[in-house]
């Protein structure tokens, strides 16, 4: 069966919804070997593989994507997802630097990811400084991941009053 570029995303979506993500991985791998990538489809398939705990399959596809698109921040974001799933925090920190280098601008999600990695590496001062980059970029009032990370980082710093202050309404 021949699949055109226009059909790539709908076909991979249908395969994923039918529980056939290995076939979706195969289709995306075939296209990547031909120099074609659909990052929306790639995100869908990699996320599904990681949900199924199939880190090796996700890693193989992402390695191919990074090799083919080394200066595209989206390639490195996919690599970060795989490293995050495998709790490979030191490598994830290196990859996040590449995301920042190749992205047009750092996003709140980048700062959240970086703060989380730094927290996991027990670098709470750096993690907290990273979190402080977010409020100028977006409202954090109802952003649960931001507050969870802030509380966790303050606990690492043994700033119990800071946790109470941060999480009090």
């Amino acid at each position: 069966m021949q699949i055109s570029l226009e059909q790539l995303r709908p076909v991979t979506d249908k395969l994923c919804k039918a529980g056939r993500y290995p076939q979706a991985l195969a289709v995306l791998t075939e296209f990547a070997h031909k120099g074609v990538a659909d990052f929306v489809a790639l995100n869908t398939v990699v996320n599904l593989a990681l949900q199924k705990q199939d880190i090796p399959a996700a890693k193989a596809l992402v390695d191919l994507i990074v090799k083919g698109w080394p200066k595209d921040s989206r390639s490195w974001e996919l690599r970060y997802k795989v490293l995050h799933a495998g709790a490979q925090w030191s490598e994830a920190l290196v990859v996040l630097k590449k995301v920042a280098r190749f992205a047009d601008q750092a996003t709140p999600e980048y700062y959240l990811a970086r703060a989380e990695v730094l927290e996991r590496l027990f670098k709470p001062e750096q993690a907290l400084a990273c979190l402080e980059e977010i409020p100028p970029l977006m409202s954090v009032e109802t952003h649960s991941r931001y507050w969870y990370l802030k509380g966790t980082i303050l606990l690492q710093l043994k700033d119990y009053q800071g946790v109470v202050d941060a999480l009090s309404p």
Side-chain angles (χ1 to χ4, degrees):
M1 176 179 163
Q2 286 290 88
I3 300 170
S4 70
L5 179 58
E6 296 78 27
Q7 296 171 314
L8 181 58
R9 191 178 308 168
V11 166
T12 55
D13 283 347
K14 285 180 184 177
L15 288 169
C16 288
K17 287 177 182 165
R20 297 172 51 200
Y21 85 92
Q23 288 89 346
L25 275 167
V27 168
L28 290 170
T29 300
E30 181 181 328
F31 270 82
H33 279 296
K34 294 177 183 176
V36 177
D38 179 319
F39 283 94
V40 172
L42 285 163
N43 263 304
T44 300
V45 173
V46 167
N47 286 339
L48 187 56
L50 295 176
Q51 287 172 3
K52 303 260 185 206
Q53 302 295 312
D54 194 355
I55 294 173
K59 182 184 180 313
L61 177 58
V62 169
D63 287 348
L64 183 60
I65 297 302
V66 167
K67 184 177 178 185
W69 294 267
K71 292 186 178 183
D72 192 317
S73 64
R74 298 170 299 176
S75 298
W76 295 104
E77 289 168 0
L78 289 168
R79 168 74 50 87
Y80 166 77
K81 284 183 180 190
V82 172
L83 294 171
H84 184 277
Q88 296 173 298
W89 305 117
S90 294
E91 294 90 344
L93 188 59
V94 171
V95 166
L96 284 171
K97 289 178 185 175
K98 291 182 180 183
V99 169
R101 181 179 346 146
F102 296 120
D104 293 332
Q105 63 183 17
T107 64
E109 187 58 38
Y110 162 80
Y111 288 112
L112 285 167
R114 187 166 166 77
E116 180 182 12
V117 168
L118 290 165
E119 181 267 331
R120 299 289 171 98
L121 291 170
F122 298 102
K123 297 181 179 185
E125 293 88 2
Q126 292 176 17
L128 195 57
C130 199
L131 271 186
E132 297 309 318
E133 297 290 331
I134 298 170
L137 300 174
M138 69 176 235
S139 172
V140 296
E141 290 177 16
T142 60
H143 199 286
S144 59
R145 184 172 175 211
Y146 172 88
W147 294 108
Y148 171 79
L149 280 170
K150 189 159 188 169
T152 304
I153 293 164
L154 290 169
L155 283 173
Q156 274 189 5
L157 291 168
K158 298 187 183 338
D159 182 357
Y160 305 117
Q161 187 59 50
V163 173
V164 171
D165 294 344
L167 301 180
S168 295

